[in-house]
């Protein structure tokens, strides 16, 4: 069940997986889902049904989430290589996404994944595999996790670069700067801030000494409870007013479609870090902004 789409996912699942030990259980589960199959028939769709054993059924969810996390971290690893080589990860992702064996979903390089499922699931999967004596098989998931977490510190580095601040052993000193963080939730169209990369980056910027002002269309109250030391604003304009840097860290439509010319009239310095590669870089640059995206030249 995708957060924000749970009802539709129940009514129109892309597959149903059942773990059973008897024909009676199989029949009961099929009957319980009959409405889903009937709806699919009226809409000329098919819902694949996988009937399997308990162990395989349990593995399906964590294996799927581990694969998705790996795909996200793969493109973010490519972003790191692009940053070193001068390549553009958005064009790279587009090119490899045309390969039907790869596909373009979950190839959006940026700040990485968060939320209540992927981070928890890949860590729990590793721990359980270790208990089962198969820990070596999932060792790569540790690197998947590390790549994901490195994207957060990369935003901190880009912020320091744009603001002309050097980084020492303890990281950059951003004291005396005012930074707007647009986004607090782990993804748009939810108020969920659990393990949200955007909020984690906002906390890192605050720890580095910056005066951080956060706006999110739905997540402000949850974010305030989770990280009360930040300043929270009621509108995007309030957040960016008199700031030296704007960081777009959740890809809300409000931020993607924001007018860079109008926002440029409010800020103290036209500098933007696009942590989700969701902005039109050319449009923002034409409006006089110094633009930095993750994995982009």
């Amino acid at each position: 069940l995708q957060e924000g789409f749970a009802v539709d996912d129940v009514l129109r699942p892309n597959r149903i997986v059942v773990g059973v030990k008897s024909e009676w259980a199989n029949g009961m589960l099929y009957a319980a889902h009959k409405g889903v199959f009937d709806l699919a028939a009226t809409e000329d769709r098919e819902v694949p049904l996988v009937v399997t054993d308990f162990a395989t059924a349990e593995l399906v969810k964590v294996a799927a989430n581990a694969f998705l996390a790996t795909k996200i971290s793969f493109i973010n690893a490519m972003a790191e290589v692009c940053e070193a080589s001068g390549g553009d990860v958005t064009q790279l992702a587009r090119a490899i996404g045309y390969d039907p064996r790869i596909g373009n979903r979950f190839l959006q390089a940026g700040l990485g994944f968060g939320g209540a499922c992927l981070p928890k699931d890949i860590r729990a999967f590793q721990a359980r595999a270790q208990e089962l004596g198969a820990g070596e098989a999932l060792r790569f998931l540790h690197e998947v996790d590390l790549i994901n977490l490195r994207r957060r510190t990369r935003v901190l580095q880009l912020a320091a670069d744009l603001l002309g601040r050097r980084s020492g052993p303890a990281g950059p000193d951003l004291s005396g700067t005012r930074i707007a963080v647009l986004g607090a939730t782990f993804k748009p169209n939810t108020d969920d801030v659990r393990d949200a990369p955007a909020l984690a980056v906002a906390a890192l910027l605050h720890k580095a000494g910056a005066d951080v002002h956060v706006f999110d269309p739905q997540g402000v109250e949850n974010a305030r409870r989770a990280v009360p030391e930040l300043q929270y604003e009621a509108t995007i304009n309030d957040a960016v007013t008199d700031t030296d840097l704007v960081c777009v860290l959740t890809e809300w439509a409000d931020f993607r479609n924001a007018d860079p010319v109008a926002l440029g009239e409010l800020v103290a310095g036209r500098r933007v870090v696009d942590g989700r590669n969701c902005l039109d870089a050319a449009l923002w640059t034409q409006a006089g902004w110094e633009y930095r995206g993750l994995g982009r030249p």
Side-chain angles (χ1 to χ4, degrees), residues 77-164:
M78 294 303 101
E80 293 185 14
V81 176
C82 284
E83 288 161 358
S85 66
D88 188 329
V89 75
T90 60
Q91 294 179 20
L92 172 65
R94 183 183 176 193
I96 67 174
Y98 283 128
D99 188 327
R101 299 167 300 175
I102 297 172
N104 57 18
R105 295 202 66 196
F106 287 84
L107 278 184
Q108 180 73 26
L111 194 49
F113 56 81
C117 285
L118 293 189
K120 165 185 63 67
D121 278 4
I122 64 171
R123 293 164 193 163
F125 199 12
Q126 291 175 83
R128 183 63 180 135
Q130 192 71 37
E131 292 171 352
L132 293 169
E136 289 292 315
L138 298 186
R139 180 172 287 184
F140 74 95
L141 287 179
H142 179 62
E143 185 59 34
V144 166
D145 204 5
L146 291 179
I147 292 168
N148 191 58
L149 294 175
R150 277 203 301 272
R151 292 289 80 192
R152 304 178 184 190
T153 55
R154 177 59 180 157
V155 173
L156 190 63
Q157 294 166 357
L158 287 175
D161 291 344
L162 276 174
L163 293 168

Side-chain angles (χ1 to χ4, degrees), residues 223-244:
R224 182 180 282 113
R225 284 191 288 269
V227 190
E229 59 267 27
L230 303 177
Q231 295 292 318
Y232 295 92
E233 304 293 351
T235 68
I236 184 174
N237 287 353
D238 291 341
V240 304
T241 297
D242 295 329
T243 55
D244 303 297

